[in-house]
Amino acid sequence: MLHRIMGRAGSGKTEYMLFKMKEAFKGGKNCLYIVPEQQSLSAEKRLSEYLGDCYNLGIEVLNFERLPNRIAREYGNLAVTCIDNGSRDILMSRVLESLSDKLCEYKGVSTNSDFVKSMISVINRFKAGGVSVEKLAEAAESEEVKANSRLYAKLKDISLIYAEYQQLFSADLFDPCDALTSLAAQLESQRFFKDYIVFIDGYYTFTEQ
C-alpha cells in the first residue's frame, strides 16, 4: 500500500513521517528511511534526537546511491569491478576510435577529448532516465525524427555509440550508472522490501527506475 504525504515546504510532512516511523518502530516493525544522499547524516541525527540512539535497531537510513550495494550485500553480486570516471574516458575513447568511419554527424570530432566527455555525459543522462540502447534506437527511427535530417543523423550516431559502449560491460565489469536499472529488474524476483515499511522523504523528482 502506498501513502503519499503532500504539502508545502514547512507544513510538517517530515514531522508526520517521523511520527509514523516512531509508531512502526515501537510496534516492532523494521523500517527503511530513504532520503537524498546529502541529507543522510542530518536524517540520522534527527532520528537519534527523536527516538534515541537505539533507533538503528529497527530503522535503517539509505539513499538511492547506496541502495543497490545494500541489496547486493543481502543477495550477493558484490564481486564486480565498477568503473570510475577515468575508466569511462578510456572506454569511450576506444569506442569512438573504433566507430570513426561509421559516424556521420560526429565523425569530425570523434577523437576530440571534449566530445568524449560530452558523450559520456549524454549516455549517463540516458541511463539515469531509463533510456536503454533499444529505446534510443527506436526513437531514432521514428517518423518525427526522420523528418529532421540533422536530428536523425545525430541520434543515429549517438545510438551507435551508446550500443557499442554498452557492449564493453559484462558480468565482471559494471557501470555504476546502470545500478538502479539493474536493481529494478532484480527486485522483480528478490522481495527485499517485503518485511519493511519504507519511508521516502526529501525528493522532488524520481527517475523511471
Side-chain angles (χ1 to χ4, degrees):
M1 184 180 296
L2 175 66
H3 296 274
R4 298 172 68 191
I5 303 168
M6 307 183 73
R8 295 179 298 177
S11 61
K13 299 185 297 298
T14 295
E15 285 73 14
Y16 176 74
M17 197 174 291
L18 289 171
F19 171 75
K20 299 302 288 185
M21 215 179 302
K22 182 177 182 179
E23 276 189 344
F25 177 65
K26 296 296 185 184
K29 303 289 185 180
N30 291 319
C31 301
L32 293 176
Y33 189 27
I34 300 177
V35 296
E37 185 175 18
Q38 65 271 21
Q39 295 180 23
S40 296
L41 288 176
S42 60
E44 290 173 351
K45 181 180 177 182
R46 196 163 191 175
L47 281 171
S48 179
E49 292 171 349
Y50 193 69
L51 293 172
D53 292 337
C54 65
Y55 82 87
N56 55 16
L57 296 175
I59 301 175
E60 186 174 358
V61 179
L62 288 171
N63 52 64
F64 285 115
E65 288 75 16
R66 285 167 49 197
L67 187 60
N69 179 272
R70 170 66 179 83
I71 294 176
R73 283 189 277 117
E74 189 88 9
Y75 293 99
N77 200 32
L78 276 173
V80 294
T81 300
C82 292
I83 64 168
D84 55 19
N85 290 333
S87 301
R88 285 193 184 92
D89 288 351
I90 293 170
L91 290 180
M92 183 57 72
S93 296
R94 176 180 163 186
V95 165
L96 292 173
E97 183 179 353
S98 69
L99 293 176
S100 59
D101 293 335
K102 298 179 182 178
L103 300 177
C104 296
E105 183 69 22
Y106 298 116
K107 185 172 184 174
V109 294
S110 62
T111 58
N112 186 290
S113 60
D114 289 336
F115 182 70
V116 169
K117 294 188 179 300
S118 176
M119 278 296 97
I120 291 171
S121 177
V122 166
I123 289 173
N124 287 349
R125 289 201 296 272
F126 282 147
K127 291 184 176 188
V131 179
S132 65
V133 171
E134 294 76 19
K135 285 182 180 179
L136 183 61
E138 183 180 343
E141 295 298 331
S142 68
E143 294 302 321
E144 293 86 350
V145 171
K146 285 184 175 181
N148 184 327
S149 59
R150 184 82 185 278
L151 178 60
Y152 178 63
K154 286 183 176 182
L155 277 188
K156 286 288 288 183
D157 278 3
I158 294 172
S159 179
L160 187 62
I161 293 166
Y162 190 4
E164 193 75 14
Y165 178 74
Q166 201 61 10
Q167 284 182 8
L168 296 177
F169 297 100
S170 63
D172 299 320
L173 184 65
F174 186 73
D175 184 357
C177 292
D178 290 321
L180 286 182
T181 299
S182 298
L183 182 61
Q186 179 185 353
L187 288 174
E188 294 289 335
S189 58
Q190 296 174 344
R191 304 295 302 278
F192 173 77
F193 294 107
K194 68 182 177 67
D195 295 324
Y196 290 100
I197 299 176
V198 182
F199 297 84
I200 302 177
D201 190 20
Y203 290 91
Y204 294 97
T205 59
F206 293 93
T207 65
E208 180 178 303
Q209 301 93 321

